[in-house]
Amino acid sequence: MKAKSFTIHTEFIDGALDGARNIYMGASSTCHLYVIPRSEIILTNAIPDISGQPAFYILIGENETGKPQAYIGQTTDFANRKNDHLQKKDWWTKALVFISDNHKIYGDDVRFLEYLGITAAYEADSYEILNAANPRKPNIAPFRINDMEVFFRDIELLADFYGCQIFNKIGPAHNADSRHLFFVKAEDRPANGRGYLDEDTGKFVILKGSVFARGEVGSYRKAQTRQQFIADNCKTVNGEIVLQHDQEMDSPSGASSIILGRPSNGWTDWVDVEGRTLKSVYRH
């Protein structure tokens, strides 16, 4: 049987491709996903679908090894709830807020969605889940259980469509933890890079989220090239230059130099969590 086709709409709320957006399926579902970057979270105060309405939400970010992190929650008013998360959680970079556009989900419903979401995320084990405890299965009316299970399937679909695979089991070949990660840091000129050596190609991959030093030292001869790289691939977030996607480099030294803004021997400057240099691991 031919699969049924459907359409997913994306509205760029602030007109920026990497900014806030509203993702929804039109008449086929009442579920909307609002993706709000932390830097634009104040927008939730002005979005009627979010302000004062029940919501299931996911806060997403990454830990220092590059593994994605998430906190899953529910609220009857995310516009108000987000203030507590801004004060007490400094690791998250985006909020994924799921609402019903007909406003016919209620407090018990979103508590049930939270239960389904945390359970599914733990089973997938693709994100580090930062909830302190697993919620108990709430008691809701039997006819609402089916409605919320259907609604949660739309949540899973929209999350996956956006690129958040928190509910998807990721095989070992695609799991970041299966790669041998290395780090390069500088305290005098704040920088914090993460990456790995692709043994098949010999190239070094700098991972998304790496923080680049601001400016270059005088002895660095490729300052103009570095500045163009930053303009093309990075974004300033809370005063830090942050790489927006994984970037393949020709060599470990080229990777570490562009992060640090100074000449660097990547074979000795890239170090894994056990303190071993890239050279000691790959050039015995």
Side-chain angles (χ1 to χ4, degrees):
M1 181 180 295
K2 184 178 179 180
K4 182 180 179 182
S5 65
F6 61 92
T7 300
I8 295 180
H9 306 268
T10 300
E11 173 193 3
F12 296 98
I13 297 172
D14 56 5
L17 293 177
D18 60 349
R21 65 191 70 186
N22 173 18
I23 303 172
Y24 59 99
M25 297 168 62
S28 61
S29 171
T30 68
C31 184
H32 282 233
L33 163 57
Y34 285 90
V35 180
I36 314 290
R38 185 186 182 107
S39 60
E40 300 180 66
I41 201 67
I42 195 171
L43 286 174
T44 59
N45 296 338
I47 298 175
D49 277 343
I50 296 178
S51 183
Q53 301 297 334
F56 167 85
Y57 64 89
I58 308 170
L59 306 180
I60 58 174
E62 290 182 346
N63 64 19
E64 61 182 11
T65 69
K67 181 170 183 177
Q69 296 177 304
Y71 175 89
I72 297 173
Q74 55 79 28
T75 179
T76 55
D77 183 357
F78 183 80
N80 180 59
R81 179 71 173 127
K82 61 98 168 46
N83 297 323
D84 185 62
H85 291 317
L86 281 171
Q87 294 175 5
K88 297 180 180 179
K89 296 178 174 62
D90 60 4
W91 55 268
W92 60 277
T93 57
K94 290 181 181 177
L96 278 57
V97 185
F98 299 84
I99 60 91
S100 172
D101 64 10
N102 64 8
H103 306 310
K104 291 185 178 179
I105 60 173
Y106 310 101
D108 287 342
D109 295 332
V110 290
R111 282 189 284 274
F112 189 72
L113 291 173
E114 179 190 48
Y115 165 77
L116 293 176
I118 293 177
T119 300
Y122 272 121
E123 289 179 352
D125 194 30
S126 58
Y127 277 53
E128 178 184 3
I129 307 303
L130 300 182
N131 293 70
N134 296 348
R136 293 183 178 180
K137 185 176 182 179
N139 291 319
I140 65 173
F143 74 92
R144 296 299 289 168
I145 291 177
N146 181 66
D147 289 345
M148 289 306 101
E149 287 176 343
V150 171
F151 193 84
F152 185 71
R153 287 199 289 272
D154 289 342
I155 287 175
E156 291 179 305
L157 188 153
L158 292 181
D160 193 21
F161 174 80
Y162 172 65
C164 175
Q165 297 185 324
I166 188 171
F167 304 121
N168 299 347
K169 292 183 179 180
I170 299 177
H174 302 287
N175 193 329
D177 287 350
S178 68
R179 302 190 296 240
H180 194 147
L181 297 183
F182 290 83
F183 307 85
V184 64
K185 298 182 180 181
E187 301 298 335
D188 56 329
R189 306 176 63 255
N192 188 352
R194 305 190 301 273
Y196 66 95
L197 183 69
D198 187 327
E199 297 180 65
D200 293 329
T201 65
K203 295 182 182 295
F204 195 90
V205 180
I206 308 174
L207 291 176
K208 172 184 174 182
S210 293
V211 176
F212 286 45
R214 300 186 69 86
E216 302 85 23
V217 300
S219 60
Y220 187 69
R221 297 181 180 180
K222 298 182 178 179
Q224 188 172 356
T225 300
R226 180 178 187 265
Q227 291 164 11
Q228 186 60 54
F229 178 95
I230 289 174
D232 292 341
N233 301 286
C234 299
K235 183 177 181 181
T236 300
V237 180
N238 296 326
E240 295 183 332
I241 300 172
V242 182
L243 184 65
Q244 296 301 293
H245 50 80
D246 295 355
Q247 182 66 43
E248 188 177 77
M249 305 295 291
D250 288 335
S251 70
S253 295
S256 55
S257 294
I258 206 164
I259 291 171
L260 300 173
R262 61 170 174 78
S264 167
N265 182 345
W267 290 101
T268 55
D269 287 344
W270 286 104
V271 180
D272 67 12
V273 291
E274 297 178 4
R276 297 178 298 174
T277 66
L278 190 68
K279 179 179 180 179
S280 68
V281 173
Y282 289 103
R283 291 184 172 179
H284 301 296

